[in-house]
Amino acid sequence: MKVLIIQNKRIGDVLISSVIANNFKAKYPESEVHFMAYDFTHGVILKNPNIDRIISINDKELKKLPVLLKLICQIRKEKYDIIFDPYSKTQSKLICKFSTAKQTIGHKSRKKLGNWGYYTHPVTISKEKTKICGKAIEDRIHLLSQAGNFEPIDYHPKIFLTDEEKKKTCWGNTLIKK
């Protein structure tokens, strides 16, 4: 199974959305999970063993129609089975709409304009949190649940470090090696 997670927002959103990859790989370890994110946010998912490939996009470039169309063509060629779109921006909605994915899962529009068929599985955003993990993580897990039963759920985003990074500790403004 080939999966794409599109999170074209900021670094914290990328880390939070990585819970989708972590839980998906826990259930389907043989799956191939790709993660599309802005180039300046990769640090928090770079060493994540649950992400097989990071697709780098540039924030300003993606706003150019020819760049977006080229990316849509690339995504179509990948033949993803499932695409998760946690942030549901216009560009990512269009990627979902014109992909060949069997399932596209994203949040319903907050506006009353309708969803125009961007997603095969449109999901309503929760109005308030019901779990201690917080609403942002809960919303992403809700997207994941549209693709099956992933119990037990790991609600904790993780940053995976190299052995060299693990040897270092920050204390104040000084970097101390252990």
Side-chain angles (χ1 to χ4, degrees), residues 6-9 13 85-89 92 107 110 140:
I6 303 173
Q7 182 59 69
N8 50 346
K9 194 59 180 152
D13 299 296
D85 184 11
Y87 193 61
S88 303
K89 289 183 80 170
S92 59
H107 291 115
R110 292 177 187 100
R140 280 143 177 99

Side-chain angles (χ1 to χ4, degrees), residues 103-121:
Q103 289 184 7
T104 54
I105 304 168
H107 291 115
K108 288 182 181 178
S109 175
R110 292 177 187 100
K111 299 173 184 157
K112 296 188 180 194
L113 298 174
N115 288 296
W116 299 17
Y118 294 117
Y119 307 118
T120 60
H121 294 73

Side-chain angles (χ1 to χ4, degrees), residues 112-153:
K112 296 188 180 194
L113 298 174
N115 288 296
W116 299 17
Y118 294 117
Y119 307 118
T120 60
H121 294 73
V123 177
T124 302
I125 295 174
S126 305
K127 292 191 190 299
E128 55 188 57
K129 71 176 189 157
T130 62
K131 300 192 180 336
I132 195 161
C133 65
K135 187 176 162 327
I137 293 173
E138 202 172 333
D139 283 338
R140 280 143 177 99
I141 295 300
H142 193 197
L143 292 177
L144 178 68
S145 70
Q146 301 303 302
N149 180 0
F150 288 85
E151 295 294 331
I153 295 288

Side-chain angles (χ1 to χ4, degrees), residues 67-100:
V67 172
L68 177 60
L69 292 174
K70 183 178 177 184
L71 181 60
I72 289 170
C73 289
Q74 290 172 339
I75 297 304
R76 285 179 65 88
K77 288 178 187 173
E78 288 288 340
K79 296 187 181 350
Y80 290 103
D81 296 295
I82 303 172
I83 299 178
F84 294 99
D85 184 11
Y87 193 61
S88 303
K89 289 183 80 170
T90 301
Q91 296 98 332
S92 59
K93 286 179 180 179
L94 290 170
I95 291 167
C96 288
K97 172 84 174 167
F98 296 108
S99 75
T100 57

Side-chain angles (χ1 to χ4, degrees), residues 26-62:
K27 181 170 182 172
Y28 300 107
E30 300 301 317
S31 64
E32 188 176 341
V33 177
H34 296 181
F35 201 110
M36 182 186 296
Y38 288 145
D39 47 11
F40 59 87
T41 65
H42 295 178
V44 294
I45 58 171
L46 201 55
K47 301 294 180 186
N48 188 325
N50 301 307
I51 298 171
D52 299 298
R53 178 176 165 214
I54 298 172
I55 300 169
S56 182
I57 52 177
N58 180 281
D59 183 12
K60 291 178 179 50
E61 288 296 309
L62 191 61

